[in-house]
Amino acid sequence: MIYLELFLGFLKVGLFSFGGAYGAIPLIRDTVLSHGWLTDESLSYMIAVSESTPGPIMVNMATFIGNTEAGFPGALTATAAVIIPSFTVIILIALALKKYLKNRYVQGALSGLKPCIIGIILATGIYMLFSNLKEAAFKSDMRAFLILLILLVFLLIYEKVLKKKASPIAIILVSALLGAGIYM
Amino acid sequence: MNIFLELFFTFMRIGLFTFGGGYAMISLIEDICVEKKKWITHEEMMDVAVIAESTPGPIAVNAATFVGYRKGGFFGALCSTLGVAIPSFVIIYVISLFFENFLEVSLVSNAFKGIRIAVSLLILRAGYGMVKKMKKKPFTITVAVLSFIAVSVISFTGIRFSTVLLMLFSAVAGISMVFIKEKGEKI
């Protein structure tokens, strides 16, 4: 049943995503690919939409996937599922369990989890970049590589000149202009 | 104004005006809840940030639940969590209704061909930022490198293997390290 699948899938995302939205992307990718809900390509689109709209990125993605798979009730189910673990854990901590966060075994578990997530994120990013370049390169001889190159130069100049990180929205806007221009 | 309504509308505003996810939101929450409303102290806010990082789920939801609970107990937590999620839900719901049609416009689908390259870069940049902040000890480096290799192999060969399982392994490895250290101290 689709609602149950959405609920359990996003409950898992909510329960195992440490370190914010980018920590959740590999998990969401795992979930949507294994259920056949989205392809890597549409997942990239959705991440871009979630980044360019306000609000928690994970909530955005849950709503989006829930609605594409099962309409409004699906959106509601997935969104509730992604919020419930975080809500419950914080209530427990606020109640009295704050000291457990300092427990050495909990700290031990976190000391394994955090680097693991970093490895997962980097591998996912490289794989997504690779598959986007490969697929695009077949159809459009190196235009994707050109976009990548210009984006990297843009980021480098931006950070050198303005001495701060370019916001995700700025990067997405520039890449949209490049895509529209170069593929025209 | 009733505290529950106030929590709800305050967090709704926070949900509506923060782009870029959790970390951007933490600074807005600090500005509103510590500086303006004085709902929690600066020290508590630091706690919120640490707790949000060490617990699963959207950072904004973690922070909203925590502040809401402090000010209005369980029902307060519910109000602020709903408040922070509703704008997202409504906006994305409306967008997702039109997204497929929107993509059929060739200018838009071309733009998205560029965007998906930017998205992979954003993911890599987030990972790189975390590497810079990571405490570099032999154990953490080993776990990070092994996870990286495992997920690369899984992705490029198309083997089905859940990343959750990988995370559980790493958590168990982390706990084992504590045991090993304790044993070493006793001897």
Side-chain angles (χ1 to χ4, degrees):
Chain A
M1 192 185 137
I2 184 70
Y3 298 118
L4 192 65
E5 278 176 36
L6 279 171
F7 187 79
L8 292 178
F10 278 97
L11 203 65
K12 196 173 80 181
V13 170
L15 197 55
F16 286 96
S17 54
F18 290 83
Y22 284 99
I25 286 174
L27 274 170
I28 291 177
R29 184 170 170 267
D30 229 30
T31 310
V32 296
L33 292 185
S34 67
H35 285 94
W37 289 336
L38 289 179
T39 59
D40 259 327
E41 194 185 322
S42 38
L43 183 68
S44 298
Y45 296 166
M46 217 188 45
I47 295 170
V49 172
S50 303
E51 269 283 11
S52 328
T53 45
I57 295 174
M58 258 183 264
V59 173
N60 294 348
M61 300 223 252
T63 307
F64 202 115
I65 297 170
N67 187 45
T68 4
E69 291 311 312
F72 187 78
L76 219 52
T77 309
T79 307
V82 90
I83 290 175
I84 285 172
S86 142
F87 185 81
T88 315
V89 169
I90 295 293
I91 294 281
L92 289 177
I93 287 175
L95 270 176
L97 299 175
K98 206 176 128 188
K99 60 175 187 286
Y100 285 107
L101 267 189
K102 296 210 173 80
N103 177 294
R104 57 200 303 183
Y105 299 113
V106 174
Q107 283 299 320
L110 285 173
S111 78
L113 274 173
K114 284 182 182 166
C116 172
I117 290 161
I118 296 176
I120 293 175
I121 293 176
L122 286 174
T124 306
I126 287 177
Y127 178 75
M128 286 180 78
L129 183 61
F130 186 82
S131 59
N132 283 339
L133 289 178
K134 190 184 70 179
E135 200 200 323
F138 277 126
K139 292 182 198 148
S140 55
D141 45 349
M142 313 305 274
R143 286 188 242 186
F145 282 98
L146 185 61
I147 293 176
L148 174 65
L149 201 71
I150 299 174
L151 274 179
L152 285 173
V153 172
F154 166 76
L155 281 180
L156 207 72
I157 293 174
Y158 192 101
E159 277 164 34
K160 280 269 179 291
V161 173
L162 295 176
K163 300 264 181 270
K164 62 173 188 185
K165 279 171 85 179
S167 81
I169 296 181
I171 299 171
I172 289 172
L173 276 178
V174 171
S175 69
L177 289 176
L178 285 172
I182 289 176
Y183 284 96
M184 198 153 60
Chain B
M1 189 166 39
N2 180 314
I3 182 71
F4 297 120
L5 282 178
E6 201 179 342
L7 280 168
F8 180 79
F9 286 115
T10 305
F11 276 96
M12 197 155 128
R13 209 175 86 204
I14 293 172
L16 192 57
F17 289 106
T18 43
F19 291 83
Y23 294 103
M25 213 169 263
I26 288 276
S27 63
L28 187 64
I29 291 176
E30 165 139 38
D31 187 49
I32 293 177
C33 299
V34 179
E35 306 285 330
K36 296 206 179 81
K37 306 252 180 199
K38 303 203 188 312
W39 280 342
I40 54 171
T41 64
H42 183 73
E43 279 68 37
E44 282 178 307
M45 189 62 215
M46 296 293 284
D47 268 0
V48 174
V50 173
I51 289 171
E53 274 206 45
S54 349
T55 51
I59 289 174
V61 172
N62 293 339
T65 308
F66 193 87
V67 176
Y69 188 82
R70 272 293 150 82
K71 285 314 291 177
F74 183 81
F75 195 61
L78 208 59
C79 289
S80 45
T81 304
L82 284 179
V84 90
I86 281 176
S88 265
F89 185 84
V90 174
I91 292 169
I92 293 291
Y93 182 76
V94 172
I95 289 178
S96 65
L97 291 179
F98 301 105
F99 195 63
E100 290 287 316
N101 304 341
F102 190 55
L103 271 185
E104 277 164 22
V105 182
S106 73
L107 188 71
V108 174
S109 71
N110 287 343
F112 269 92
K113 281 182 192 157
I115 286 175
R116 63 186 200 199
I117 293 170
V119 168
S120 346
L121 283 183
L122 285 174
I123 294 175
L124 284 172
R125 190 174 73 162
Y128 175 67
M130 291 180 184
V131 169
K132 277 203 293 192
K133 278 202 293 182
M134 183 175 92
K135 287 189 191 116
K136 288 167 194 72
K137 292 185 243 165
F139 173 70
T140 52
I141 294 173
T142 312
V143 173
V145 171
L146 286 181
S147 315
F148 175 79
I149 294 172
V151 176
S152 303
V153 171
I154 292 164
S155 309
F156 281 101
T157 55
I159 301 170
R160 281 263 152 272
F161 185 82
S162 165
T163 41
V164 170
L165 217 52
L166 193 68
M167 289 170 69
L168 289 177
F169 282 150
S170 312
V172 171
I175 296 171
S176 317
M177 286 300 286
V178 179
F179 275 113
I180 293 169
K181 241 187 231 160
E182 277 180 354
K183 255 202 167 153
E185 278 162 15
K186 272 177 203 156
I187 298 164

